[in-house]
Amino acid sequence: MKTLELNGYLAGVSARKAELASNGVMLAVESCRNGGARRTAEKRSALKRADARAKVADVQPVLSNY
């Protein structure tokens, strides 16, 4: 098993993100989301509850398709 230092790992993640963004490879978050056509009723319900909680807390809800 390999042990990683958290700060070093996060620095590497940030470096990779910056490299992808500079090459124009990074996609917009909205385009990465699926359409939600095959969601279960339980998942749809959970997404609706999360959306309602975000609105009550006056926080921008996460974009989701349900």
Side-chain angles (χ1 to χ4, degrees):
M1 181 184 296
K2 184 177 180 180
T3 303
L4 297 176
E5 181 188 343
L6 180 60
N7 291 335
Y9 174 76
L10 293 177
V13 169
S14 295
R16 288 190 298 276
K17 280 184 180 181
E19 184 178 337
L20 287 173
S22 67
N23 294 334
V25 177
M26 196 65 103
L27 299 174
V29 172
E30 290 79 16
S31 68
C32 295
R33 300 196 180 279
N34 65 35
R38 297 184 293 168
R39 294 222 194 283
T40 63
E42 293 83 10
K43 180 67 175 210
R44 289 178 197 273
S45 176
L47 289 171
K48 287 180 184 178
R49 288 191 314 269
D51 195 33
R53 281 193 312 267
K55 288 178 183 175
V56 167
D58 199 29
V59 175
Q60 179 69 29
V62 175
L63 178 64
S64 59
N65 298 314
Y66 53 88

